[in-house]
Amino acid sequence: MMNLVKTSKALKLPEGTDICLRGWIYRKREIGKKIFIVIRDSDGILQVVIDSGKVPESVYKEALRSSIEASIETCGTVAKEPRAPGGVELKAYMFKTWGFSESFPIKGGEGIDYLLDNRHLWIRSRKLTAIWKIRHTVLSALREYLNDNNWWEVSPPILTQAAVEGGATLFKVDFFGKNAYLSQSAQFYLEALIYSLEKVWSLSVSFRAERSRTRRHLYEYWHLELEEAWARMNDSMKVAEELTSYAISKVLNERLEELHFLKRNVEKLEIARKGSFPRITYDEAIKLLRKRDVKIKWGEDLGADEERVLTEYFDTPFFITHFPKKIKSFYMKLDPERPDVVLGFDLLAPEGYGEVIGGSQREDRYDVLLKRINEEGLNPDEYKWYLDLRLYGSVPHSGFGLGVDRLIMWISGLDHIRDSIPFPRFRDRLYP
Ligand code: 4AD
Ligand code: MG
């Protein structure tokens, strides 16, 4: 076949070049004896004009029959046209329809439930396509950073026997008549693996049966977790900072066009790519909240509303550390100087987004960990293997989990986490 190109390449070719394109009809208008079709492919869009005076009648008729979202192939000559998107159009002499599209169900102006029922078609939209590209770049940046910094990638299980992050949000699965659960976090498996590989990470799906209907919760989300032997809390925070700013930087370098298409104001991202995220303690966070008239007692958890207020104080992502132990998980190491708080940290994204990373130094003392398991009313038998890790060569270690979808949501400036992922699992939805 002759010179088959993508739309973005076509925009850069000299006038008079003959090319062919494949794609889907994005817009179509008939003006007089001409049909103007904007073609969409995975790269972008390009205007094609089919002039009845210049093509055989069969070609013109084929173009007339084809409508929005039909898949087509066309060949023609590249010409300058200031009124066309990108300033270029293709003067077609061949036009063929691969798959017709009678009355595409999404015409514009539909409500959210209708759109979600048609998510399998909605994902073709230019807005969502831009997000999928940003998502790709975020994922490749995260991998790249970890590979470049000598982290080992490992593969944790998804079917598990016990909770990592509390029983309330577990999805139960029938395991041959016994209960099993979908993993909330790979953390404990990563902790086991540091004794062979020292620095490990995984990217897997985590499940949370959270009934709260918020803009930032999915039932099923992509979780990047890492764990490092010998690392203290501050070491792990440094990794969180570098990893996040690396991803932001790569998106700014490679996906600026998509960010602009989404009308994302990139000012805050430009600041964040430099790293050096501010750090405050939970105690300081409480003071900042009270300054803004938020009524909160020491020891209460920070929800989405409190986090939103805190983000108003910062231009970049920022850390909160040293949380009261009763609002955090049993595995977090108690601060030796102040055993009512843990060596835990969250990283919050600015602009109202809030938590994207949760991490901590882990309790590495057998007796203290066993006591914490009992205090929380958990069954130590279910955590026997996890406790074992403290019996055979225990080391200080730390790690965190990054909510990939939340990071993408913030970087892309989305109102809702559902659009960070093609087929979101939220609000009782399993379809499509
Ligand atoms: O703060 P979380 O619950 O921490 C853990 O699971 C640790 N065990 C991770 C670790 O140390 N290895 O979850 C980590 C991150 C959160 O900061 C958030 O970004 C994301 O996972 N997250 C969710 N993202 C989307 N939907 C949900 N329902 C989420 N729950 C947590
Ligand atoms: Mg958390």
Side-chain angles (χ1 to χ4, degrees):
M1 178 187 297
M2 68 169 287
N3 212 2
L4 181 65
V5 300
K6 294 275 186 195
T7 52
S8 66
K9 170 100 184 282
L11 289 173
K12 291 182 204 124
L13 290 172
E15 223 171 351
T17 314
D18 284 332
I19 56 160
C20 295
L21 286 169
R22 285 174 187 166
W24 291 263
I25 298 185
Y26 179 64
R27 295 265 180 272
K28 185 182 171 190
R29 291 176 298 147
E30 291 162 53
I31 301 177
K33 288 275 167 202
K34 286 181 182 172
I35 307 170
F36 292 88
I37 285 178
V38 178
I39 293 196
R40 172 182 71 69
D41 66 8
S42 55
D43 258 25
I45 57 171
L46 186 81
Q47 178 165 301
V48 179
V49 58
I50 301 115
D51 185 337
S52 72
K54 297 193 178 143
V55 296
E57 200 188 332
S58 60
V59 170
Y60 193 74
K61 277 199 172 144
E62 176 95 4
L64 265 186
R65 277 181 64 205
S66 227
S67 47
I68 301 292
E69 288 305 322
S71 48
I72 61 109
E73 185 170 334
T74 181
C75 300
T77 311
V78 170
K80 294 241 151 38
E81 173 48 67
R83 286 166 296 179
V88 168
E89 77 178 6
L90 190 72
K91 297 199 180 302
Y93 44 75
M94 190 286 267
F95 188 94
K96 168 186 167 171
T97 309
W98 282 92
F100 285 97
S101 166
E102 303 297 341
S103 186
F104 190 65
I106 301 173
K107 300 181 187 344
E110 290 90 356
I112 185 65
D113 286 314
Y114 179 87
L115 287 171
L116 285 167
D117 286 342
N118 287 284
R119 186 71 166 184
H120 55 300
L121 303 174
W122 186 20
I123 51 170
R124 304 175 181 194
S125 76
R126 292 186 73 205
K127 176 183 166 182
L128 293 182
T129 301
I131 299 168
W132 312 149
K133 290 182 183 174
I134 292 170
R135 186 173 178 102
H136 163 90
T137 301
V138 168
L139 286 168
S140 72
L142 296 172
R143 288 207 174 88
E144 214 167 86
Y145 172 87
L146 293 162
N147 285 333
D148 290 352
N149 289 279
N150 306 315
W151 292 81
W152 294 99
E153 181 172 4
V154 298
S155 303
I158 299 295
L159 279 177
T160 63
Q161 185 217 335
V164 177
E165 296 299 330
T169 62
L170 282 174
F171 275 110
K172 209 189 276 180
V173 182
D174 176 63
F175 187 73
F176 307 111
K178 280 192 266 174
N179 284 338
Y181 306 97
L182 297 177
S183 174
Q184 299 167 312
S185 163
Q187 180 188 323
F188 294 173
Y189 299 100
L190 298 189
E191 282 188 62
L193 281 157
I194 62 166
Y195 298 91
S196 60
L197 294 168
E198 297 192 38
K199 288 167 67 166
V200 295
W201 70 281
S202 62
L203 175 62
S204 57
V205 177
S206 281
F207 297 85
R208 304 283 169 105
E210 320 224 24
R211 301 304 292 179
S212 55
R213 288 187 162 205
T214 74
R215 290 169 179 277
R216 60 181 199 173
H217 285 94
L218 294 167
Y219 297 140
E220 180 185 307
Y221 71 96
W222 287 83
H223 205 172
L224 187 141
E225 294 176 272
L226 58 78
E227 198 69 31
E228 182 175 12
W230 315 106
R232 309 302 208 272
M233 178 172 77
N234 281 331
D235 303 319
S236 210
M237 288 167 70
K238 191 80 205 137
V239 176
E241 181 178 284
E242 284 180 11
L243 179 67
T244 315
S245 50
Y246 187 83
I248 295 162
S249 194
K250 188 166 166 98
V251 172
L252 284 169
N253 292 344
E254 297 178 12
R255 296 272 86 86
L256 207 52
E257 199 182 308
E258 285 78 12
L259 291 171
H260 288 325
F261 185 83
L262 297 173
K263 301 194 170 64
R264 177 69 167 114
N265 174 352
V266 296
E267 243 172 68
K268 295 278 196 311
L269 301 178
E270 286 292 351
I271 307 174
R273 81 191 296 175
K274 300 190 188 108
S276 306
F277 302 155
R279 296 162 182 218
I280 60 170
T281 61
Y282 171 88
D283 293 1
E284 286 160 343
I286 295 295
K287 281 188 202 138
L288 293 177
L289 286 170
R290 288 182 182 152
K291 261 198 219 163
R292 295 275 159 103
D293 296 322
V294 177
K295 302 219 177 346
I296 185 163
K297 291 198 209 81
W298 192 95
E300 285 175 350
D301 204 358
L302 309 176
D305 292 336
E306 290 78 22
E307 287 189 3
R308 191 174 316 112
V309 175
L310 289 170
T311 68
E312 289 166 13
Y313 284 96
F314 300 94
D315 273 341
T316 66
F318 61 99
F319 288 103
I320 306 179
T321 64
H322 299 89
F323 294 90
K325 73 170 182 186
K326 62 179 177 179
I327 59 169
K328 288 290 182 191
S329 302
F330 68 91
Y331 56 71
M332 292 193 181
K333 190 174 175 71
L334 301 179
D335 184 343
E337 271 142 49
R338 209 185 136 189
D340 58 334
V341 303
V342 289
L343 299 177
F345 64 89
D346 280 357
L347 182 73
L348 277 66
E351 302 172 273
Y353 283 92
E355 182 185 343
V356 291
I357 287 181
S360 73
Q361 189 164 335
R362 318 306 189 185
E363 186 51 73
D364 48 29
R365 296 163 293 183
Y366 183 92
D367 298 341
V368 182
L369 187 60
L370 181 60
K371 189 162 161 256
R372 292 286 292 126
I373 287 173
N374 285 319
E375 267 172 22
E376 298 289 324
L378 300 167
N379 177 2
D381 292 341
E382 286 175 2
Y383 297 94
K384 184 185 171 301
W385 70 264
Y386 184 62
L387 281 158
D388 260 6
L389 302 175
R390 279 70 184 163
L391 289 179
Y392 306 103
S394 190
V395 285
H397 62 287
S398 304
F400 62 79
L402 179 155
V404 173
D405 319 275
R406 285 197 186 171
L407 180 62
I408 292 161
M409 177 189 178
W410 168 59
I411 291 179
S412 309
L414 309 179
D415 300 333
H416 199 293
I417 195 166
R418 64 168 181 247
D419 287 337
S420 69
I421 185 164
F423 297 100
R425 294 295 173 244
F426 76 116
R427 262 210 242 154
D428 302 328
R429 277 188 168 274
L430 286 175
Y431 179 90

